[in-house]
Amino acid sequence: MSARIRKAVFPVAGLGTRFLPATKTVPKEMLPIIDRPLIQYAVDEAIEAGCDTLVFVTNRYKHAVADYFDKAYELEQKLERSGKTEQLELVRNVLPEGVRAVFVTQAEALGLGHAVLCAKSVIGDEPFAVLLPDDLIWNRGPGALKQMADAAEASGASMIAVQDVPREQTASYGIVATENFEKRQGRIRAIVEKPKPEVAPSNLAVVGRYVLNPRIFSLLESTTPGAGGEIQLTDAIAALLEEEAVNAYRFQGTRFDCGTHIGLVEATIRYALDHEKLSDSARQLMANALSELGVEELN
Ligand code: UTP
């Protein structure tokens, strides 16, 4: 793999049960951080990395995702007539010109691996990215996927984003064992899904960004359902690394797990504190809230 990635897959067909009842009607990926839904942050990251074809793997209940990326004629006309040019630009730039959105359906939530496999016909025979929008990654410099795409182009290997996690948390992640780790990347020797801390091969956890060789599709096709009856992407990656180099990439940036309540709260606070218009009032609000609750000092 030495070609530049152009296509990105967004698996958004999960049930989002941790955010019920909100996710009865609002897909998890449409939950906002300030004024933009999670999916928009992931889409912007993919476009920055050079992707011009965005493949959304959705299900029949997730019209909101497709509607969001569709043209909103009536709204645009109204904003134009009332001279709200700033808002008009925001609405139009949800997808910049030259970027194509493709929607494929995952009829049944059979797992992340199965969701990626649903994108096969659109991806074809070229390397591609996978982004899980509920892993929100914030960085002052280049986004995580751009960092990985640059590294993948240079090395020719598939690339999986990793971050260090406290050892007691390994059972919540896919964990990789690596060799020859240099600077930000190392070759993966093994990948284990959710190991207990005492048997985890490291504390390097897989995060929702991948650059994958298309060979993964045939491996997914022969992957049998694993934990929870789901077709796991991790199992196909384990098979891929038996055949060719797959590297772990320790990206620069902070990752928020917006698939959990506290992760979404944390991301909202951090984005508000860093926001050019909201920062001062967010700081004040937080200081007031802490003092009202009797929290004098934070350690
Ligand atoms: P998660 O397990 O984090 O998402 O899957 P979920 O199942 O939607 O959420 P909970 O656990 O019930 O709260 C990781 C990613 O894989 C997608 C999800 O949409 C999410 O982006 N996914 C998962 C699919 O697209 N299809 C699936 O069958 C499973």
Side-chain angles (χ1 to χ4, degrees):
M1 185 204 310
S2 52
R4 186 78 198 174
I5 50 158
R6 295 187 308 113
K7 295 178 180 171
V9 178
F10 302 86
V12 293
L15 301 177
T17 53
R18 283 172 287 178
F19 277 97
L20 283 170
T23 43
K24 254 182 100 181
T25 56
V26 183
K28 175 170 72 174
E29 301 75 19
M30 294 305 295
L31 296 174
I33 302 293
I34 316 289
D35 53 1
R36 303 189 318 147
L38 286 171
I39 189 80
Q40 181 76 60
Y41 291 92
V43 158
D44 290 351
E45 194 183 318
I47 294 171
E48 184 212 6
C51 297
D52 60 11
T53 301
L54 312 180
V55 189
F56 299 92
V57 182
T58 64
N59 64 35
R60 62 187 169 284
Y61 305 109
K62 297 218 174 174
H63 298 292
V65 178
D67 291 348
Y68 178 78
F69 289 107
D70 204 355
K71 198 166 166 61
Y73 287 104
E74 214 182 317
L75 176 63
E76 289 187 21
Q77 268 179 4
K78 279 192 178 151
L79 292 172
E80 199 160 13
R81 273 196 219 118
S82 51
K84 296 193 167 171
T85 45
E86 201 180 320
Q87 288 87 339
L88 184 62
E89 278 314 294
L90 286 175
V91 171
R92 283 190 175 150
N93 285 337
V94 158
L95 268 193
E97 234 166 89
V99 176
R100 183 167 75 113
V102 181
F103 292 86
V104 297
T105 303
Q106 185 188 27
E108 232 186 305
L110 294 177
L112 175 58
H114 181 259
V116 171
L117 186 54
C118 291
K120 180 183 170 188
S121 61
V122 186
I123 300 298
D125 193 27
E126 54 182 292
F128 64 102
V130 176
L131 298 95
L132 306 189
D134 48 6
D135 271 338
L136 174 60
I137 302 179
W138 179 88
N139 191 33
R140 283 199 198 280
L145 189 68
K146 173 151 176 38
Q147 300 170 41
M148 292 169 69
D150 289 347
E153 198 175 14
S155 76
S158 289
M159 212 59 78
I160 297 178
V162 294
Q163 71 170 30
D164 297 280
V165 295
R167 193 157 262 276
E168 62 273 15
Q169 290 178 13
T170 57
S172 306
Y173 294 93
I175 299 289
V176 295
T178 54
E179 59 190 12
N180 306 331
F181 217 101
E182 248 184 68
K183 290 190 186 153
R184 297 205 162 268
Q185 51 179 316
R187 185 164 177 164
I188 301 179
R189 265 192 299 110
I191 182 165
V192 197
E193 194 58 37
K194 303 188 169 66
K196 292 203 174 96
E198 54 278 20
V199 292
S202 76
N203 64 339
L204 270 184
V206 175
V207 168
R209 300 289 184 276
Y210 309 79
V211 176
L212 296 171
N213 184 310
R215 169 76 183 133
I216 198 78
F217 290 124
S218 18
L219 296 169
L220 279 167
E221 276 163 343
S222 53
T223 300
T224 45
E230 297 192 334
I231 295 179
Q232 304 286 352
L233 183 58
T234 305
D235 290 343
I237 290 171
L240 184 63
L241 58 91
E242 294 293 321
E243 295 184 0
E244 58 181 56
V246 179
N247 287 356
Y249 189 90
R250 194 190 257 126
F251 57 91
Q252 190 175 48
T254 309
R255 169 248 182 192
F256 301 99
D257 181 2
C258 295
T260 66
H261 295 167
I262 197 65
L264 192 74
V265 171
E266 185 188 7
T268 303
I269 292 173
R270 289 287 288 273
Y271 276 73
L273 290 173
D274 194 57
H275 194 282
E276 58 166 340
K277 292 185 187 150
L278 301 178
S279 168
D280 289 346
S281 24
R283 271 159 219 265
Q284 194 56 57
L285 280 175
M286 274 171 226
N288 293 351
L290 289 171
S291 102
E292 268 175 48
L293 291 170
V295 182
E296 296 294 331
E297 256 180 50
L298 294 178
N299 51 20

